[in-house]
Amino acid sequence: MARRSSLFIRIVEGKNLPAKDITGSSDPYCIVKIDDETIIRTATVWKTLSPFWGEEYKVHLPPNFHSVSFYVMDEDALSRDDVIGKVCLTRNVLAEHPKGYNGWMNLTEIDPDEEVQGEIHLKIEIINTNLPRKVRCTVLEARDLARKDRNGASDPFVRVQYNSKVQESSVVKKSCYPRWNEAFEFDLEETITEKLSIEVWDWDLVSRNDFLGKVVINLNGLQTTLQEEEWFRLSPGKCKASIDEGNLGSLQLQVRLRDETVLPSEYYKPLVQLLCQEVKTSCKEKSVNLISLIDDTASAECRQEVATNLVKLFLGQGIAKELLDLLFRLELDKTNEPNTLFRSNSLASKSMESFLKVAGTQYLHSVVGPTINRIFEEKKYVELDPSKVEIKEAGCSGLHRIQTEGELIQQSTQYLQSYLTDLLLSITKSVKLCPATIRATFRQLYKRVEERFPENKHMNVKFIAVTSFLCLRFFSPAIMSPKLFHLREKHADARTSRTLLLLAKAIQNVGNMDAPASRAKESWMAPLQPKIQQGVLQLKEFIIKLIDIEEKEELDLERALNLQSPTIKEGQLMIYKTKGKGYLLASSFKKFFITLTPDALSFAKSSYSKKSSVIPLSKIRALEKVEEKCFGSSNVMQIIYTDETENLEALYLQCKSVNELNQWLSALRKVCVNNPDMLCSYHPGVFKGEKWSCCHQKDKAGAGCDKTRHEVTLQEWNDLLDPDLEAQLIFRHLLGVRELMKEKYVQWTEQTDRETPLLHSDPQVKDSAAQLFQILHDLEAAHDSLTVFSNVADKEKKYLLEL
């Protein structure tokens, strides 16, 4: 049984932010921290006080995290970025909103005394051997303290206070992972009323010392145990009243915490087998199908999540195509007007949309990526709408003249025609690049729509059914928001964004088969009409080739793909491998092309070169970030692995941004999740000058000074499938709508028995719903019993540790 927590985060927008630049504006972006670790950085929105981001993330994290914080920053090219304000949501606050927190929150000012982080390791003892009794506080070590000095570290010391008496530890220079091992004793009162206070400070020679956090311990709890040793999380000092709250602007957020207890696989087997059986037999007999019950009871707010979970579960079972085929038929049975087919956010539409993202992300990048990159690089001014044309100057120096509106629109038409030509050419040549399972699914869709609307007047409907997903729900959103699909690292500026929007509109018109309604809606798109009409013909030819795949070819392609190790992630990074005792310098990094597969991490000089080295994933022991002071960059990670002699070695990877860093960390952590010998601790510094830079420990092979964070990962569409987690998520949803499903089932059977009383005479047909409700009952009971057992085990473990 595994306990897993996940956090859905949507950073929507900000408003009324203060101006930080001399231009009277700001260049805002957001940083998201889970406890003390930065995991997300949004794109910068330039020159605005009301930025819109609309970025969504899902983070997997340990169940014992404390808070999630959102920092709004102002990016500066020449100086350090300014902090505008922050919003903090504790785990307890999120737990009080099971449906998620959604709304505007005022940004608060950053108080240095409240910006504390890290933990301190203490041993507290009550000594009764002599009178008066004494309390002894042994300060052992601390980890991940806040960096207060310009060198990227602190000079921490500890101040211990009891009953108005104060003692201080020595100062550990240039370390956020200090080790003291110093003991402090105080006379204990007969009646213990005072609390023991331990404060951590950063020592400064010239300015005042900086507060790093505190721990307050109630000694009454030690009267019986007499001793306590553990890691304590540092807390801020007394919270000051927030000044000018609301004047820093506000941030609109959607945050939802989800805690899951995932049972062993055998508990979910009956549920998975029943759902698979329903999908496989759905085409053989018309019955009360469980998938149709799920479809009818899925609310609009949860439909996307249900669709994604179903698609991932059935992909793992190898019958995603059959699931989607069933959903297509259910949707077609409800549709009388072909113009509305798959245009709503039904379970069929959402499932197909999720399927394309899960199975076709690499295909998407190969098709639309080159055209998007070209648009970003050229930065052309493109506008077709006369009401939005900006008249500007043209010509060389000394011969400037004003371009007319007609000239600008003509020039824009040429640019857009060129971009659309490139994109259509990329699409039409991509048949062999498209995954076999996607091609086969589109074949089924085309066939079902053709059967439902066979008339000549609906001859385009089967093509539009395919393009409604491929163009309108897959290509077009990626073109409009390339960052959200990981096609670009940053958001487009206003000019590039407008070009992308116009191109997306053009490909939508092509996907709609140049429907009259599309032309009438935006008549100013008329200059592109010849190219759009040509594109319709190209797209029809492409679709006919795309769906021309027989089952044998599909199986052969899938079998060939299974023989290869699929690429999970690849790209160019700067790499440094430890050698000897010399100094580690940022200039020592060399560029390599890295490829991650389910089996290994390989390195080559380029994407076409032969692999120069390979690290089997089974050899990896930790994947963590490196302190900024080590290489002068905050975007360096380390891969700790065992070499041929089973000695630990470190490989350092430098990324271009914090997002790239976290994406690589997440990808590697997820493929190494089942490694049995992963480390519990590591050194966030580097070993140089005969000692670790983080904790100054001289034993290179000694235990690390910080805890590893294997559980913190970002979810991506192309993540490896997790069947148990998907089954648990589907179980939780079905449990929530169980009563509604029972009502729908009774209504459906009563109506069907009245209309066709002989249709359901076979009792096995009606048994599937009863089986489902029994399975849900059994799984609910298993959760309850195993949770109780786990809680008892945790208490026993804690008791044994205390003994």
Side-chain angles (χ1 to χ4, degrees), residues 139-142 170 172 175 177-182 683 695 697 702-706:
V139 181
L140 299 167
E141 57 188 320
S170 59
V172 179
S175 177
Y177 300 85
R179 297 189 173 190
W180 290 285
N181 290 319
E182 297 181 28
H683 288 285
C695 60
Q697 184 180 339
C705 55
D706 198 6

Side-chain angles (χ1 to χ4, degrees), residues 157-169 184-186 197 199 201:
F157 70 94
V158 176
R159 183 177 293 158
V160 185
Q161 181 174 341
Y162 178 73
N163 200 17
S164 302
K165 294 182 179 178
V166 179
Q167 298 184 51
E168 292 184 354
S169 74
F184 306 92
E185 290 187 358
F186 299 88
S197 173
E199 296 179 347
W201 291 81

Side-chain angles (χ1 to χ4, degrees), residues 592-607:
F592 280 87
F593 189 85
I594 304 178
T595 303
L596 175 63
T597 67
D599 305 311
L601 187 69
S602 59
F603 309 88
K605 289 187 177 181
S606 71
S607 57

Side-chain angles (χ1 to χ4, degrees), residues 102-117:
N102 184 0
W104 288 93
M105 296 189 71
N106 287 335
L107 293 170
T108 58
E109 189 178 28
I110 302 296
D111 182 351
D113 287 347
E114 293 183 36
E115 293 298 298
V116 303
Q117 65 182 59

Side-chain angles (χ1 to χ4, degrees), residues 275-289:
L275 292 175
C276 290
Q277 175 188 335
E278 287 293 294
V279 168
K280 290 175 181 177
T281 60
S282 63
C283 58
K284 298 178 182 177
E285 42 186 309
K286 193 170 179 66
S287 61
V288 183
N289 191 277

Side-chain angles (χ1 to χ4, degrees), residues 4-9 33-36 39 59-69 89-95 233 255-259 707 711-712:
R4 306 185 189 184
S5 292
S6 61
L7 207 57
F8 169 80
I9 296 171
K33 288 187 177 183
I34 301 293
D35 292 337
D36 310 322
I39 57 165
V59 187
H60 300 292
L61 64 171
N64 58 349
F65 82 98
H66 296 86
S67 65
V68 54
S69 300
L89 294 170
T90 65
R91 194 191 199 290
N92 293 336
V93 168
L94 293 171
R233 183 173 175 79
V255 187
R256 185 178 70 247
L257 173 65
R258 179 75 41 82
D259 290 319
K707 58 185 177 183
E711 295 176 89
V712 181

